[in-house]
Amino acid sequence: MASGFLSDLILSFGERYGTVKLTFTDGNPAEHAVAIRRRRLDVAFVTGTAKWEGCDSLHLWSERVYAVLPSSHQFANASQITFKDIEGESFIVSESAPGQEIHDYLVKRLADLGRHPEIDQQAVGRDNLMHLVALGRGLTITSEATTAAQFPGVVFRPILGKPCHSQRFGCGKMTIRHFGIC
């Protein structure tokens, strides 16, 4: 939520409905879908285009996918890169959400017959994951919204390709309980 559509939406909602209390919960899309069906969440913003039984959904926005590189990386000064540029690199993802989605996305983009990307899961959150990238422990990828945040020793470089909604990563999807949106 560092920047972009979701940040702007929350700000706008707060200005219009200032008396409504918002509570935020991190988690993966499957956990959020269960929480909505059990009426523990009213709205969830999730990545991808999956259909969730018992939930209505609406595609709201798309974002570019960015590589997170140490500032000393050979492509740190490139204006943009491709997956071909980083296919032989080691990657790190978080064990917590959205780590598994990022892992699956990397496998989809980088795996080929006889070749599987090296992806290590770490039991850390986003901030520490970025510091591990800065320390040269591997690369990761993120959505465009994250690029507004500052992390010493890392650079964000856009990865050429289609917007994330067709790649099923980093897209906003609103899942709504039966009573709809205010």
Side-chain angles (χ1 to χ4, degrees), residues 77-163:
N77 293 319
S79 60
Q80 54 193 11
I81 63 173
T82 67
F83 275 105
K84 185 94 173 127
D85 294 331
I86 56 175
E87 69 183 358
E89 300 276 356
S90 296
F91 292 87
I92 54 175
V93 299
S94 177
E95 288 180 354
S96 59
Q100 187 60 50
E101 291 175 90
I102 293 172
H103 178 278
D104 295 348
Y105 182 81
L106 286 167
V107 168
K108 180 180 175 184
R109 297 296 305 194
L110 297 171
D112 201 0
L113 190 60
R115 187 182 70 221
H116 194 80
E118 180 185 333
I119 307 170
D120 291 325
Q121 289 188 328
Q122 301 292 329
V124 297
R126 181 187 73 170
D127 289 0
N128 283 331
L129 190 70
M130 297 298 171
H131 293 298
L132 290 173
V133 170
L135 294 170
R137 306 306 301 165
L139 311 182
T140 195
I141 59 173
T142 193
S143 66
E144 190 168 6
T146 305
T147 64
Q150 298 293 311
F151 298 97
V154 302
V155 296
F156 300 100
R157 294 296 173 254
I159 300 175
L160 289 177
K162 297 177 185 176

Side-chain angles (χ1 to χ4, degrees), residues 33-88:
V34 168
I36 286 185
R37 286 193 295 268
R38 292 182 178 167
R39 300 176 186 251
R40 292 190 178 128
L41 283 179
D42 295 323
V43 177
F45 296 92
V46 300
T47 58
T49 57
K51 302 286 184 210
W52 298 98
E53 184 180 332
C55 299
D56 297 317
S57 63
L58 173 68
H59 179 262
L60 294 176
W61 81 98
S62 300
E63 294 182 28
R64 291 182 73 180
V65 176
Y66 279 69
V68 184
L69 312 170
S71 55
S72 61
H73 192 274
Q74 66 177 345
F75 292 114
N77 293 319
S79 60
Q80 54 193 11
I81 63 173
T82 67
F83 275 105
K84 185 94 173 127
D85 294 331
I86 56 175
E87 69 183 358

